[in-house]
């Protein structure tokens, strides 16, 4: 999946349609709309899913009005950052469920009043930027791929929003204006003037400019044609999100006249004008987006062309798999005896479609990663089964996997059955984990099983390797599992963690994989407490940080992760957090290289691309 800024410069992409219109069609009252990510998250996910299923390759968060200026008018005084974070998370969750690659844009709409300017008095510019920064911070924490500053009428508001984004992030920005049938915005800006204005925005021009909302497809097309002619001189991509016509009240409901078929006939003209993205605004629905996709299928960028559905299909699981898929994968403990091992974790999607995940696995294969860790519903959130995911990754790539296997969800009988099934499917590398309690995740009232803990699971696997089940009864033939266990070098109390680590080794563990650490001192403290050399090979966990807020979140809210103050301070006033995170990871690897046997990378938000420079540098250092 290309970075968003690069994607906008190559090919035609299909965006989603109106979010508010969809919610109103589901019986939501207008005053309820801004707070839906907190009050009705399932409904938000359904909305995003319907647009993805219709063919949208770019979706925007439900955060258009999620700024303190507008929310204060409703009398709401909750956390704007949390509201925006949840909106971004829900969009990403919908994408995970759908399983196809798609971009998530954080939506920033106008404030309740315009920003003060020589023409229009209003909100103080510095205050406006502060209001936007609060929303931007939440969207970043939720993991957006870029920002859509939309439905803009005045340049001062655009400047405040863009400044707020660039103070927090270097992600791509799309700026979209709303034009009337007269060919100007509410405050008299023409399409040509809008292009000229964004070229001088703080920090430089945006990744794209465009038009949305307005009075319908035809007036918007006129504005886009004028805008595109000027934008071509600057090689600036153009986006278009037309309304479904002028709204009218019919039987007490707002009705938009432009049908899906009519909207589809406008799409080729938008493409001919030079649009890089076509979506829909007020009044458009998944049916409109589906009609555009069907009419423009041959023109859309093929990388993200959506399938009609999102369940596993024949083109996800091939009829004739690679004949080498069933070859015995390299056992991790044997690999550790021969070389420095590099592993990367991938979380299964929230739905049954594995396309995006397999694409990421193939990219890791190209970067010569040795093995992929497949997490088992981490943080107790429901995802596609790790066993099925690992099997399909091994089928679609030449990489071995390490299957995370928790005792949280299976009783002793089901646990052994699944392990035997894993072995029959060629999944011979198992990481034994107790698993996060359900209270951390989506189903807080779900019942955990925990017939065994990770030590007991290690004993079961060791018994399987001797041809015996948990009761000591023969299996008929022994298995050949490579048994991994987890260890947390930053645990408190550390003495208890070390005692459990020794028990895991005694139970038959072949190697250990650590929770992410962020400073050499954390590892040295663990070794000192251990009081001797590592009894089994250790693969060190590293989760490169991407921002100060992410670091604070991990430190304060994710069990097992401790980030030292000196590391947090490296991020406090830094915009390019990704670069700093990679620097810190490399420093850590260079300091500890002699005492470890491999690296276990955990990508933020399941994004592989930012890890590529780090993977290449690790390969250079460890060859």
């Amino acid at each position: 999946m290309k970075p968003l800024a690069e994607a906008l410069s190559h090919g035609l992409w299909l965006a989603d349609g109106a979010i508010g219109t969809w919610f109103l069609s589901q019986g939501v009252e207008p005053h309820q709309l801004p707070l839906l990510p907190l009050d009705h998250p399932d409904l938000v996910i359904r909305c995003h899913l319907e647009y993805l299923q219709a063919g949208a390759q770019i979706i925007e968060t439900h955060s258009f009005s999620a700024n303190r200026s507008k929310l204060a008018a409703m009398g709401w005084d909750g956390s704007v950052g949390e509201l925006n974070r949840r909106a971004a998370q829900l969009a990403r969750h919908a994408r995970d469920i759908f399983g196809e690659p798609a971009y998530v844009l954080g939506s920033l709409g106008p404030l309740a009043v315009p920003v003060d300017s020589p023409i229009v008095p209003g909100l103080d510019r510095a205050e406006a930027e502060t209001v936007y920064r609060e929303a931007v911070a939440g969207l970043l924490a939720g993991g957006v791929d870029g920002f859509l500053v939309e439905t803009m009428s005045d340049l001062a508001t655009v400047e405040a929003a863009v400044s707020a984004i660039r103070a927090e992030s270097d992600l791509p920005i799309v700026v979209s204006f709303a034009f009337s049938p007269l060919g100007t915005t509410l405050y008299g800006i023409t399409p040509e003037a809008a292009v000229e204005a964004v070229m001088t925005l703080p920090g430089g021009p945006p990744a794209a400019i465009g038009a949305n909302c307005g009075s319908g497809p035809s007036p918007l097309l006129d504005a886009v044609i004028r805008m595109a002619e000027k934008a071509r001189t600057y090689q600036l991509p153009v986006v278009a999100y037309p309304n479904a016509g002028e709204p009218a009240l019919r039987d007490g409901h707002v009705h938009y006249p432009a049908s899906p078929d009519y909207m589809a006939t406008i799409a080729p003209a938008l493409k001919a004008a030079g649009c890089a993205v076509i979506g829909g605004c007020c009044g458009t629905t998944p049916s409109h987006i589906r009609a555009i996709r069907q009419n423009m299928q041959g023109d859309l960028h093929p990388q993200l062309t959506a399938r009609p559905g999102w369940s596993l299909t024949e083109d996800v699981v091939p009829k004739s798999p690679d004949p080498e898929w069933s070859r015995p994968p390299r056992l991790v403990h044997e690999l550790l005896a021969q070389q420095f091992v590099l592993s990367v974790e991938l979380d299964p999607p929230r739905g049954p479609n594995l396309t995006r995940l397999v694409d990421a696995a193939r990219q890791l294969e190209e970067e010569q990663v040795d093995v992929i860790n497949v997490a088992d519903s981490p943080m107790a959130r429901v995802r596609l089964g790790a066993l099925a995911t690992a099997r399909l990754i091994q089928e679609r790539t030449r990489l071995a996997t390490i299957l995370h296997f928790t005792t949280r969800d299976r009783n002793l009988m089901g646990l052994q059955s699944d392990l035997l099934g894993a072995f029959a499917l060629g999944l011979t590398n198992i990481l034994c984990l107790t698993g996060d309690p359900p209270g951390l995740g989506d189903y807080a009232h779900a019942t955990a099983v925990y017939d065994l803990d990770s030590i007991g699971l290690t004993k079961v696997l060791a018994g399987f390797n001797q041809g015996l089940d948990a009761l000591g009864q023969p299996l008929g033939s022994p298995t050949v599992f490579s048994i991994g266990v987890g260890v947390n070098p930053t645990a408190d109390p550390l003495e208890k963690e070390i005692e459990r680590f020794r028990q895991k080794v005694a139970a038959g563990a072949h190697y250990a994989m650590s929770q992410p650490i962020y400073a050499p001192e954390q590892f040295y403290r663990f070794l000192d407490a251990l009081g001797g050399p590592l009894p089994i090979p250790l693969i060190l966990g590293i989760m490169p940080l991407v921002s100060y807020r992410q670091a604070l979140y991990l430190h304060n809210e994710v069990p097992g992760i401790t980030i030292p103050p000196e590391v947090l301070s490296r991020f406090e006033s830094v915009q390019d957090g990704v670069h700093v995170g990679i620097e810190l990871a490399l420093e850590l690897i260079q300091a500890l290289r002699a005492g470890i046997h491999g690296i276990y990378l955990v990508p933020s938000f399941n994004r592989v691309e930012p890890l590529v420079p780090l993977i290449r540098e690790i390969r250079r250092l460890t060859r």
Side-chain angles (χ1 to χ4, degrees), residues 243-498:
N243 273 6
E246 281 277 14
L249 201 61
R250 179 185 294 178
D251 298 327
H253 299 283
V254 176
H255 171 73
Y256 289 85
S259 69
D261 288 342
Y262 177 74
M263 289 283 285
T265 63
I266 298 292
L270 291 170
K271 175 183 180 294
C275 286
V277 177
I278 298 174
C281 203
C282 302
T284 58
T285 67
S287 295
H288 290 81
I289 301 306
R290 185 175 292 107
I292 295 173
R293 186 197 73 194
Q294 291 169 350
N295 194 36
M296 303 291 292
Q297 187 72 61
D299 298 304
L300 292 175
H301 196 289
Q303 180 182 347
L304 297 185
T305 298
R307 293 184 173 87
W310 48 278
S311 60
L312 280 174
T313 58
E314 290 182 355
D315 53 353
V316 177
V317 182
K319 293 180 179 178
S320 301
D322 181 345
E324 295 191 24
W325 81 266
S326 58
R327 68 194 185 285
R330 299 292 298 274
L331 296 172
V332 170
H333 67 279
E334 293 180 353
L335 198 60
L336 285 164
Q338 300 170 24
Q339 67 181 65
F340 192 91
V341 170
L342 177 56
S343 173
V344 178
E345 177 174 308
L346 291 177
D347 292 342
R350 289 179 172 266
N353 194 314
L354 279 159
T355 303
R356 184 166 172 258
L357 182 119
V358 170
D359 287 345
R362 285 173 171 159
Q363 184 175 3
L364 293 172
E365 182 181 24
E366 291 174 2
E367 297 300 332
Q368 301 179 34
V369 167
D370 296 307
V371 64
I372 291 178
N373 276 64
V374 180
D376 186 2
S377 292
M379 298 296 292
R381 294 191 172 102
V382 175
R383 290 181 177 270
L384 194 150
L387 193 154
T389 302
R391 157 68 170 80
L392 287 168
I393 287 174
Q394 289 190 178
E395 175 183 320
R396 303 301 292 272
T397 72
R398 296 180 180 275
L399 288 171
T401 60
I402 297 176
L403 172 63
H404 292 206
F405 200 96
T406 69
T407 64
R408 172 190 58 218
D409 307 314
R410 307 166 177 89
N411 63 21
L412 183 57
M413 183 176 66
L415 179 148
Q416 293 181 89
S417 296
D418 283 351
L419 287 172
L420 291 172
F423 184 75
L425 290 172
L427 305 175
T428 54
N429 299 306
I430 304 293
L431 183 65
C432 301
L433 300 169
T434 302
D436 298 315
L440 288 178
D442 300 322
Y443 293 83
H445 301 294
T447 302
V449 180
Y450 295 130
D451 276 358
L452 300 174
D453 62 6
S454 56
I455 299 170
L457 177 57
T458 304
K459 291 178 180 178
V460 169
L461 283 170
F464 276 15
N465 282 352
Q466 298 173 12
L468 302 173
D469 71 7
L471 297 179
Q473 299 172 341
L475 295 174
S477 62
T479 59
V480 188
F481 280 112
S482 186
I483 307 170
V485 294
V487 64
N488 183 8
T490 67
D492 186 15
L494 188 55
E495 293 74 17
K496 181 178 180 181
E497 180 71 10
I498 287 176

Side-chain angles (χ1 to χ4, degrees), residues 145-164:
D145 300 309
F147 292 89
L148 176 60
V149 178
E150 59 176 322
T151 323
M152 292 291 145
S153 296
D154 66 298
L155 295 175
T157 301
V158 172
E159 290 173 355
V162 170
S163 294

Side-chain angles (χ1 to χ4, degrees), residues 462-551:
F464 276 15
N465 282 352
Q466 298 173 12
L468 302 173
D469 71 7
L471 297 179
Q473 299 172 341
L475 295 174
S477 62
T479 59
V480 188
F481 280 112
S482 186
I483 307 170
V485 294
V487 64
N488 183 8
T490 67
D492 186 15
L494 188 55
E495 293 74 17
K496 181 178 180 181
E497 180 71 10
I498 287 176
E499 177 55 29
R500 285 184 57 82
F501 179 52
R502 295 188 193 281
Q503 291 179 36
K504 293 173 184 178
V505 174
H510 294 128
Y511 64 96
M513 304 189 80
S514 84
Q515 284 272 34
I517 68 170
Y518 291 92
E521 292 73 20
Q522 293 177 319
F523 187 65
Y524 296 144
R525 176 173 169 264
F526 171 74
L527 289 180
D528 288 341
L530 190 62
L534 289 166
I536 54 177
L538 176 74
I539 302 175
L540 186 72
I542 295 179
M543 182 179 185
L545 299 170
V546 299
S547 69
Y548 181 61
R549 285 182 176 81
Q550 182 211 23

Side-chain angles (χ1 to χ4, degrees), residues 20-37:
T21 298
W22 188 91
F23 288 134
L24 294 174
S25 73
Q26 304 299 307
V28 175
E29 295 296 328
H31 70 274
Q32 297 175 302
L33 289 174
L35 302 183
L36 287 178

